[in-house]
Amino acid sequence: MIFMQELTVVLGEKRILDRFSLALPTQGITALSGPSGCGKTTLFRVLLGLEPLQSGRVEGISPRDIAPLFQENRLFPWHTAIRQIEDVLPKERRESARQYLTLVELEEESQTYPEALSGGMARRLALARALALGGRLYLLDEPFNGVDPERSVRILTRIRSLDTPVLLISHERAVLDQCDQVIALDGPPLQVINP
């Protein structure tokens, strides 16, 4: 289990997390769902060690064990799709880069640069790169933004087969329906509304 205990984050005058606690399984796919601005992304940043805590602690996972997908794609404009994946793989695993493009249904775009991809295709490429990072946990912030629901479901089924736990943020019903657990949130400050 991953334990978030009494997490408090204050940004300026705003209390985003106020003694927030949550236990998450380290298996399957768990979704966090809630309105924009409620604190979900701040919670992700805490897990990644990018947002300092005023108080509280996280146990059961280290930031270096997490493969993140941020809200922004953060693709290198000067690299092809396949190179985006190869960049994050160790040399001995670079030949597996194509399988990540196949996982997100972009195998035909291996030599395409980001500027030539649609918004949904660029999002899938960013997702493929995050998955290639590996780790003990995938932390995915709106992984299917701009991706059609049917394709999202197919890709999420393939991600499940990787057998690495996933924590994702989504508002999309088709995605949430495929998750093992959905935690409804509200805020700020962030709070669970279906304990």
Side-chain angles (χ1 to χ4, degrees):
M1 295 287 281
I2 299 168
F3 297 98
M4 296 171 237
Q5 300 179 319
E6 300 282 311
L7 306 182
T8 298
V9 172
V10 180
L11 301 175
E13 299 292 314
K14 199 170 198 178
R15 197 167 282 267
I16 308 300
L17 305 178
D18 187 12
R19 298 186 314 273
F20 180 81
S21 295
L22 185 64
L24 294 171
T26 50
Q27 58 187 14
I29 300 174
T30 301
L32 303 181
S33 184
S36 294
C38 74
K40 303 180 302 294
T41 297
T42 299
L43 182 63
F44 268 30
R45 289 178 53 80
V46 166
L47 292 172
L48 290 167
L50 300 174
E51 195 67 62
L53 288 165
Q54 274 70 47
S55 63
R57 65 182 185 270
V58 176
E59 296 179 351
I61 195 77
S62 164
R64 67 179 172 272
D65 295 328
I66 298 172
L69 173 66
F70 296 96
Q71 283 184 349
E72 312 82 23
N73 292 330
R74 302 183 182 192
L75 299 171
F76 298 116
W78 54 87
H79 285 174
T80 61
I82 193 78
R83 180 72 188 275
Q84 307 274 345
I85 310 300
E86 290 171 344
D87 283 345
V88 301
L89 290 169
K91 284 184 180 177
E92 65 274 11
R93 289 189 49 225
R94 288 206 176 133
E95 70 280 352
S96 67
R98 191 167 294 279
Q99 80 183 44
Y100 292 100
L101 290 179
T102 300
L103 190 149
V104 299
E105 302 182 7
L106 280 176
E107 60 273 17
E108 301 299 318
E109 305 297 335
S110 67
Q111 298 307 312
T112 304
Y113 289 88
E115 68 179 16
L117 298 173
S118 70
M121 293 168 88
R123 191 63 183 152
R124 287 186 279 142
L125 178 55
L127 174 58
R129 186 177 61 187
L131 297 174
L133 280 170
R136 289 181 46 221
L137 175 70
Y138 290 125
L139 202 59
L140 310 177
D141 197 345
E142 297 287 357
F144 300 108
N145 192 17
V147 180
D148 65 88
E150 297 79 13
R151 179 166 286 159
S152 299
V153 168
R154 290 195 304 269
I155 294 171
L156 196 54
T157 300
R158 293 186 197 111
I159 291 173
R160 183 184 299 280
S161 72
L162 298 175
D163 206 29
T164 299
V166 175
L167 178 61
L168 63 83
I169 291 174
S170 183
H171 301 95
E172 300 167 56
R173 178 48 51 195
V175 172
L176 297 177
D177 287 346
Q178 298 301 310
C179 295
D180 300 304
Q181 179 180 11
V182 177
I183 299 170
L185 299 166
D186 203 357
L190 190 65
Q191 56 188 306
V192 176
I193 58 174
N194 64 342

